[in-house]
Amino acid sequence: MARAIAARTKGDDYQARWFWLQVCRLFSDRTKVVRVVYEANNVKSFDDVVVHFEGMADEEGHPLFAEYYQVKFHVTSGGALTWESMMNPAFINAHSVSLLKRLKNAQEKHAPTGTEAHFILYSPWDIHPDDSLAKVHSTSDGRLDWHRLSQGGERSELGRLRAAWRQHLGLSSDEELRNILRPLRIRRGRTLAELQDTLNDKLHRAGLCPVDEYRLSNPYDELTRKLLQNGQTEFSRSDIENVCKRENLWMGQAAIETSAYQVGFRSFLRWAEHLEDQTDVMLDLLHFFNGRRIMSFNLWQEDILPSIKQFLNRELQQCEQCDLHLHVHTSI
């Protein structure tokens, strides 16, 4: 019993710390985040943490209005995500609704064209390397590569996967399945300790009090639970500032940023997850890569170089001084 309670508490802490990482994004001068929700009441799927945007675009230039997170913690590394577990409600501690069905419900309501929102599974577990899902999962941004997933007939390895998912979701075509999977992102989360280390840096930059590493308890974990008990789950920047002042967690003004025009480039995600919060404009090249590997060598000349030239010509014409954020491959 004690172990079960400890595991559940760690899961709550994991979700709370991910929530506060998103909250810190509210305090960037250039942030597109306008509201962060914990345990959203009006969302039945991917409702653990919701981040709402204004003026945000995805990597292909479509307007992006929100990110919906399913935060799944595991005490040990003794398991992995598979394509079959996505149809098993027990994988997310549910009784009847699987992760795939939750995705379908969320997509139909919040991303009918597949682009208006992202639905993100965030967990310290990896996809099993021998599973079919690993063959189509992009380590650049966590999406499922439909070009690869759609290969092969019904009797092929991926064809059987598509058929099983279609049957599970009650779909009649691959095109319906593609639209449901389009906004899905599967991302490997940090450990609980790594989340806290990252959070301390973000708290300091946001003007909130970091947590002493030698403290037995974390005030942000407990504050999240109290706010939830009080029914306060949706927060703007001013809401968080008022709460933290009341709880003696407000340190002062967020870090003052330079007035120079901030221009970002990103071709990999690690350490650049929220580059859009630090930049005025950003060129996102993630969809050309799978991890560090380019999808096809001809993309360098046919797509990436023209994209960079067009972006620079469009965005820097009126700029007198700018800072470049280059989270990119050396060739770029």
Side-chain angles (χ1 to χ4, degrees):
M1 177 65 75
R3 289 185 178 180
I5 294 174
R8 187 167 62 248
T9 300
K10 287 182 178 179
D12 291 342
D13 293 347
Y14 195 79
Q15 181 177 331
R17 292 177 197 182
W18 185 250
F19 162 73
W20 281 98
L21 274 172
Q22 306 313 307
V23 162
C24 289
R25 300 174 64 185
L26 288 164
F27 290 86
S28 171
D29 284 350
R30 293 171 172 83
T31 189
K32 282 62 172 189
V33 180
V34 294
R35 195 165 75 257
V36 181
V37 185
Y38 185 80
E39 295 284 2
N41 292 322
N42 62 338
V43 184
K44 293 183 179 180
S45 307
F46 289 83
D47 58 351
D48 290 339
V49 178
V50 183
V51 182
H52 293 275
F53 305 108
E54 283 184 4
M56 181 73 156
D58 68 7
E59 58 275 6
E60 296 176 354
H62 302 110
L64 183 69
F65 300 104
E67 290 176 339
Y68 296 82
Y69 287 92
Q70 181 83 32
V71 181
K72 180 62 178 169
F73 179 72
H74 300 277
V75 176
T76 70
S77 298
L81 178 65
T82 66
W83 70 269
E84 291 177 311
S85 66
M86 294 184 67
M87 298 186 292
N88 183 2
F91 177 74
I92 53 174
N93 298 326
H95 297 292
S96 60
V97 182
S98 67
L99 180 67
L100 269 183
K101 287 185 176 179
R102 287 193 176 200
L103 173 64
K104 180 176 182 289
N105 294 337
Q107 179 270 321
E108 289 175 344
K109 183 175 181 179
H110 300 288
T113 69
T115 63
E116 296 90 343
H118 289 164
F119 305 102
I120 303 169
L121 175 63
Y122 188 83
S123 169
W125 271 9
D126 282 320
I127 296 174
H128 196 289
D130 299 326
D131 191 74
S132 301
L133 192 60
K135 298 180 179 180
V136 299
H137 176 250
S138 169
T139 55
S140 289
D141 59 2
R143 73 174 64 202
L144 299 187
D145 184 349
W146 181 257
H147 176 73
R148 295 183 182 184
L149 181 55
S150 64
Q151 300 301 306
E154 290 293 303
R155 295 184 179 181
S156 68
E157 177 185 1
L158 294 177
R160 291 194 299 271
L161 184 158
R162 296 195 307 271
W165 280 4
R166 288 199 313 269
Q167 182 179 7
H168 180 69
L169 296 174
L171 306 177
S172 58
S173 70
D174 275 353
E175 190 57 35
E176 291 177 283
L177 180 62
R178 179 186 184 182
N179 204 47
I180 291 170
L181 297 177
R182 189 175 184 181
L184 175 65
R185 304 291 186 270
I186 301 173
R187 294 180 183 165
R188 187 180 185 278
R190 302 176 177 93
T191 67
L192 189 60
E194 288 171 337
L195 269 187
Q196 185 56 52
D197 289 342
T198 304
L199 179 57
N200 265 347
D201 175 65
K202 301 298 183 183
L203 289 169
H204 180 79
R205 293 181 61 85
L208 305 177
C209 294
V211 180
D212 192 313
E213 61 179 316
Y214 299 107
R215 285 191 62 162
L216 188 60
S217 63
N218 185 314
Y220 294 96
D221 295 343
E222 184 60 27
L223 177 57
T224 307
R225 283 188 279 271
K226 292 298 183 182
L227 291 170
L228 181 61
Q229 291 170 10
N230 292 337
Q232 190 174 2
T233 59
E234 188 169 328
F235 305 91
S236 65
R237 173 172 173 163
S238 60
D239 293 331
I240 288 293
E241 185 173 328
N242 291 335
V243 167
C244 290
K245 284 179 178 178
R246 186 178 67 233
E247 298 298 319
N248 294 320
L249 294 172
W250 178 250
M251 187 172 61
Q253 185 177 0
I256 300 175
E257 301 179 14
T258 176
S259 60
Y261 196 55
Q262 303 297 302
V263 181
F265 297 83
R266 181 172 68 184
S267 63
F268 50 81
L269 198 60
R270 187 166 176 80
W271 309 119
E273 290 94 339
H274 302 136
L275 186 59
E276 61 271 11
D277 295 338
Q278 306 165 35
T279 55
D280 295 296
V281 291
M282 183 181 75
L283 178 63
D284 199 329
L285 302 167
L286 287 176
H287 55 291
F288 293 121
F289 296 88
N290 184 18
R292 293 279 179 160
R293 291 188 174 186
I294 195 165
M295 296 288 195
S296 174
F297 284 111
N298 64 328
L299 290 173
W300 288 115
Q301 295 296 327
E302 295 179 4
D303 290 274
I304 293 179
L305 181 58
S307 295
I308 294 171
K309 287 182 175 180
Q310 292 170 12
F311 176 80
L312 290 173
N313 287 332
R314 181 179 69 249
E315 301 295 343
L316 301 189
Q317 287 179 349
Q318 305 299 324
C319 182
E320 295 182 359
Q321 179 183 357
C322 69
D323 294 336
L324 298 182
H325 300 251
L326 300 175
H327 296 266
V328 294
H329 294 66
T330 305
S331 299
I332 296 176

